[in-house]
């Protein structure tokens, strides 16, 4: 992992072809071309960044958490993980990770799940599923196109009996992951607005997304 991180740390911010600031609780989407590197940065630390990927020229092909976990034989996303689509194709490969804990099992928060977990008083609080619906609609998709996602920087220990619990995040300010696209992809992000569990330290904060062209 150290070699990947050292390479990423030396990347010049001035050469980024995209640089996006995502406010706290907000969604974002953008195209990452084959060969480009996308960096997703947890700017203030302890912020879950819910993320989906779709094939840019055919949204019916999209991220599959089941195929990704099966292909790597593990429950978490890390350096070297191939992000696999529902068609069995490699969409991206993670090449850098300064945090070390990224969930792809717990899914996105929703108004419905908030109500079940935290009571009816939370029913109208903003949630990641709302963000995803809003953002994918810009690309002609709908709620039914939202699939189980990656939760970058979200700490979800899994017990031997399969139980999962969302606990305090371990990411520090400025921690990041980098992924190289193996095909043109649409990246869709919900900068998680959850305030009822510790995935955001109970205080949602802004994040940053950068993209670099590949080396010739």
């Amino acid at each position: 992992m150290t070699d990947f991180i050292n390479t990423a740390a030396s990347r010049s911010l001035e050469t980024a072809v995209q640089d996006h600031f995502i406010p706290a609780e907000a969604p974002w989407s953008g195209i990452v071309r084959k060969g480009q590197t996308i960096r997703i940065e947890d700017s203030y630390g302890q912020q879950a960044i819910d993320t989906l990927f779709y094939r840019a020229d055919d949204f019916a092909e999209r991220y599959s958490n089941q195929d990704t976990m099966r292909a790597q034989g593990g429950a978490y996303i890390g350096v070297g993980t191939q992000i696999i689509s529902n068609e069995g194709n490699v969409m991206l490969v993670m090449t850098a990770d300064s945090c070390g804990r990224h969930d792809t099992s717990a899914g996105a928060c929703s108004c419905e799940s908030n109500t079940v977990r935290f009571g009816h008083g939370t029913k109208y609080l903003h949630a990641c599923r709302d963000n995803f619906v809003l953002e994918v609609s810009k690309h002609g998709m709908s709620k039914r196109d939202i699939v189980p996602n990656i939760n970058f920087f979200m700490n979800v220990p899994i017990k031997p009996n399969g139980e999962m619990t969302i606990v305090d995040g371990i990411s520090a300010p400025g921690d990041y992951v980098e992924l190289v696209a193996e095909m043109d992809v649409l990246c869709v992000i919900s900068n998680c607005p959850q305030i009822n569990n510790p995935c955001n330290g109970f205080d949602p904060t802004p994040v940053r997304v950068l993209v670099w062209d590949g080396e010739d």
Side-chain angles (χ1 to χ4, degrees):
M1 183 184 296
T2 301
D3 291 340
F4 286 116
I5 292 174
N6 288 341
T7 301
S10 65
R11 201 182 302 281
S12 172
L13 299 180
E14 289 73 22
T15 61
V17 296
Q18 296 185 47
D19 189 350
H20 305 280
F21 173 87
I22 307 177
E25 306 185 20
W28 172 86
S29 61
I31 296 293
V32 184
R33 300 295 179 187
K34 181 178 180 179
Q36 289 184 324
T37 294
I38 179 171
R39 176 185 292 182
I40 300 173
E41 178 189 281
D42 184 1
S43 303
Y44 292 84
Q46 290 190 311
Q47 173 63 43
I49 306 175
D50 293 39
T51 306
L52 287 169
F53 294 103
Y54 300 83
R55 187 183 184 104
D57 60 356
D58 181 5
F59 295 149
E61 184 171 1
R62 67 279 302 269
Y63 172 68
S64 170
N65 69 331
Q66 300 98 323
D67 291 299
T68 297
M69 287 189 287
R70 183 169 58 246
Q72 69 168 337
Y76 299 106
I77 306 297
V79 169
T81 295
Q82 294 180 327
I83 304 303
I84 306 294
S85 76
N86 59 333
E87 298 292 336
N89 296 316
V90 180
M91 305 184 79
L92 308 96
V93 177
M94 185 185 284
T95 55
D97 174 12
S98 65
C99 172
R101 177 55 62 90
H102 311 282
D103 164 72
T104 190
S105 300
C109 60
S110 67
C111 293
E112 294 81 3
S113 64
N114 283 343
T115 301
V116 171
R117 293 172 180 171
F118 310 114
H120 287 280
T122 66
K123 181 177 180 179
Y124 299 103
L125 293 178
H126 196 47
C128 282
R129 195 160 182 84
D130 299 323
N131 274 344
F132 280 145
V133 170
L134 176 64
E135 203 61 29
V136 301
S137 69
K138 297 177 182 178
H139 304 279
M141 291 184 281
S142 68
K143 187 175 183 178
R144 67 177 57 202
D145 294 296
I146 299 168
V147 295
N149 57 286
I150 301 172
N151 293 306
F152 288 116
F153 308 108
M154 194 162 90
N155 189 13
V156 186
I158 301 176
K159 297 179 180 179
N161 65 359
E163 291 182 359
M164 301 186 300
T165 305
I166 298 172
V167 298
D168 291 344
I170 63 173
S171 56
D175 270 346
Y176 59 86
V177 296
E178 290 189 355
L179 304 99
V180 175
E182 296 294 322
M183 62 171 70
D184 291 354
V185 297
L186 172 68
C187 176
V188 180
I189 284 176
S190 169
N191 191 15
C192 183
Q194 181 62 254
I195 59 172
N196 297 288
N197 70 46
C199 68
N200 300 324
F202 303 100
D203 181 23
T205 52
V207 301
R208 188 181 190 184
V209 172
L210 300 105
V211 177
W212 286 268
D213 283 335
E215 297 180 3
D216 295 329

